[in-house]
Amino acid sequence: MPPEMLSGDGVSIRLSGYLEPCAPTHVPTLRYAIETAGKTVGELRVRLGESEDLKRYFGQIGYEVYPAFRRRGHAGTACRLALTVMRDLGYGEAWITCNPENLASRRVCGRVSAELVETVDIPVDHVMYEHGIRQKCRYRVVL
């Protein structure tokens, strides 16, 4: 069972839902609220699976901090907590992806000691390509 809540450095992630497998990732997903000082400041997703599509394009960890709360380190702390969730669930590594131009997300990956493995082109028949995404940076964290 995944933890209901984890905390560190003034940030908590609280389990807010479980999503059954559905498009586009087709894997079960844990949804967490990112909280600090009694406020929800973003959300985090832990995608439970190890498919090539997940590791290559979608990533196993996704996060968003709402605009009013950005640039305060919340995403990095939440991401570190998500890595703990994955480790506790028995994963040996975690993959995080982001668009090359998303410098904030790339900094988060650096803060959690994720290694940039490569930047890949999105295939023209992939759902991300249909949404205008052309490349993804692939980061790997050994747990």
Side-chain angles (χ1 to χ4, degrees):
M1 289 297 299
E4 294 285 323
M5 180 180 276
L6 288 173
S7 298
D9 295 330
V11 173
S12 298
I13 58 171
R14 182 181 44 79
L15 188 64
S16 61
Y18 175 83
L19 303 174
E20 294 292 332
C22 63
T25 62
H26 302 286
V27 297
T29 301
L30 302 172
R31 289 185 59 197
Y32 285 88
I34 302 171
E35 301 174 339
T36 187
K39 295 180 183 176
T40 299
V41 300
E43 58 185 68
L44 179 123
R45 291 159 305 286
V46 177
R47 298 180 188 104
L48 304 175
E50 297 187 85
S51 72
E52 193 62 29
D53 198 42
L54 195 62
K55 290 179 179 181
R56 193 160 183 80
Y57 306 116
F58 290 108
Q60 292 169 300
I61 297 174
Y63 43 85
E64 175 189 4
V65 173
Y66 304 143
F69 301 99
R70 290 181 182 162
R71 300 191 59 81
R72 300 180 194 177
H74 302 322
T77 301
C79 194
R80 275 192 291 283
L81 295 170
L83 293 169
T84 299
V85 170
M86 292 193 71
R87 185 180 306 108
D88 290 350
L89 291 174
Y91 288 86
E93 65 183 13
W95 289 90
I96 304 169
T97 66
C98 65
N99 296 348
E101 66 277 4
N102 187 342
L103 300 180
S105 191
R106 294 182 76 171
R107 283 190 297 272
V108 168
C109 289
R111 286 190 190 107
V112 299
S113 300
E115 174 191 359
L116 176 62
V117 173
E118 64 184 334
T119 299
V120 295
D121 293 329
I122 304 295
V124 296
D125 61 344
H126 196 277
V127 66
M128 287 184 174
Y129 195 93
E130 295 171 15
H131 292 278
I133 300 169
R134 299 297 182 254
Q135 290 186 313
K136 283 289 179 177
C137 294
R138 298 181 65 226
Y139 289 86
R140 179 176 177 257
V141 179
V142 176
L143 302 175

